[in-house]
Amino acid sequence: MPEEIIRTLSVDGVRYGYRVLPYDRTGGAVPRTDPTLILGGALQGMFGWPQMDDHLGPAADVVTADLPGMGGADPLPPGPSADLLRRAVLGIADDLGAPRLNVFGFSYGTAIAFGFAQHHPERVARLALGGAPVHIDAAQVACWERARRQLAAGDREGFAATAADALMCLDPERPVHRRELARRYVRRSFLHALTHSPHAADSLHRALADRPDFTGGLTGVPALVFAGEHDTVTSPERQREFAATIEGSRFLTVGESDHWVVLERAEEVASLVTGFFTGRDPMAATACATGAVVLPRQATAPAGRT
């Protein structure tokens, strides 16, 4: 398998980077789909997607990123960041020399991916969005404010526990696959980022303060939106309403998972997204997920056309 490539770019003087796992073109082999860019949550950097490497690598160039404010990139400058982040994504596409990208956004990354597709639809071959935080209720805001106070007071352990719990469904009556494993992983990830990244705290504050904009709809880009069936950050119903603003999109839920569906159902999500980007209908992809992916009855037709 070809060795990964890491490139450094800048936008408005802000340094950031991306990583490419090249498709193996030995013997003249041709990728089955366009290069695929993965954009994760506020503290998810370019090295956190091994399951996507495994599934997408045999089909396409896999691209992950430390966008401004994430991972090893420079911190975001003061003020609104949406435009700068979109231009950072455009910089990756241009540096790759790729006319179009498949773009997969998860959680915080969904707003960046969606905004990029709105402003540059001609550069997006297909769009997949998971766990879109399209609506944050008062209880979530209160929980994150408590976590913010803990972090400001220097209580990193308390912050990590509160923040992790805020992103998960802890109701024992609602089954979540690998719940405790995912919970421990998320807590450790927060602690690791706060310890090793000089601007991790600022990145988290920005992710909470910069309310993402999911308005305006989208046309001309094939899209898939999916949610964990027990997502407590934004309910699947709210995410489906958002999916309906994307012309011709498909929406589905992933069983026994919550907002951290990419951890709890990592193999199923990787298979689902790979299938979508390589032209397989999401309904067909459910057959590969051993029953974990459930298409709601109301979404059997394309979202927005039911």
Side-chain angles (χ1 to χ4, degrees):
M1 179 175 290
E3 292 187 5
E4 66 183 20
I5 301 166
I6 297 178
R7 300 270 293 169
T8 300
L9 304 174
S10 67
V11 56
D12 293 355
V14 179
R15 183 186 56 85
Y16 68 103
Y18 72 94
R19 162 191 170 272
V20 184
L21 179 65
Y23 175 79
D24 188 352
R25 292 169 170 81
T26 302
V30 178
R32 291 160 51 199
T33 187
D34 298 275
T36 299
L37 174 63
I38 301 167
L39 302 174
L43 294 182
Q44 288 182 294
M46 66 171 71
F47 299 108
W49 298 95
Q51 74 277 21
M52 302 305 296
D53 288 348
D54 292 342
H55 283 261
L56 277 166
D61 297 326
V62 183
V63 186
T64 56
D66 282 355
L67 292 182
M70 302 178 193
D74 288 344
L76 286 163
S81 60
D83 177 67
L84 183 142
L85 291 169
R86 287 193 298 268
R87 287 187 286 120
V89 173
L90 182 61
I92 293 173
D94 288 344
D95 196 61
L96 284 167
R100 299 194 306 171
L101 298 173
N102 293 316
V103 182
F104 170 38
F106 168 68
S107 190
Y108 177 76
T110 59
I112 303 169
F114 180 63
F116 179 74
Q118 283 183 309
H119 286 77
H120 302 283
E122 76 286 353
R123 302 298 296 270
V124 180
R126 290 177 179 266
L127 178 68
L129 304 173
V134 298
H135 174 77
I136 306 298
D137 63 21
Q140 277 280 319
V141 172
C143 188
W144 280 105
E145 177 58 25
R146 183 167 66 254
R148 187 195 65 78
R149 291 196 300 268
Q150 289 173 308
L151 186 57
D155 181 6
R156 293 185 173 185
E157 293 276 355
F159 167 83
T162 300
D165 290 356
L167 294 170
M168 309 196 77
C169 173
L170 302 179
D171 183 352
E173 299 299 317
R174 302 166 75 182
V176 173
H177 189 58
R178 298 174 178 168
R179 187 196 328 253
E180 286 306 313
L181 182 63
R183 190 181 186 187
R184 291 195 298 271
Y185 178 86
V186 174
R187 287 186 180 187
R188 288 198 305 269
S189 295
F190 281 147
L191 282 173
H192 182 271
L194 290 170
T195 301
H196 294 90
S197 174
H199 53 267
D202 177 69
S203 297
L204 285 166
H205 289 154
R206 294 293 294 268
L208 298 174
D210 290 355
R211 293 298 177 89
D213 183 6
F214 289 96
T215 63
L218 178 63
T219 61
V221 178
L224 169 70
V225 181
F226 65 91
E229 70 169 329
H230 302 308
D231 194 330
T232 52
V233 175
T234 296
S235 70
E237 291 76 15
R238 292 272 193 174
Q239 294 187 58
R240 184 182 182 279
E241 291 172 2
F242 160 65
T245 71
I246 304 174
E247 183 183 27
S249 71
R250 303 300 294 265
F251 174 80
L252 53 80
T253 59
V254 181
E256 295 189 1
S257 62
D258 55 26
H259 187 71
W260 280 104
V261 57
V262 294
L263 294 178
E264 297 148 354
R265 291 293 187 184
E267 291 297 311
E268 290 88 342
V269 168
S271 177
L272 172 68
V273 172
T274 300
F276 176 65
F277 285 154
T278 54
R280 188 192 315 159
D281 188 281
M283 286 292 287
T286 63
C288 301
T290 61
V293 179
V294 181
L295 191 70
R297 182 176 300 171
Q298 66 267 33
T300 54
R305 296 182 180 179
T306 55

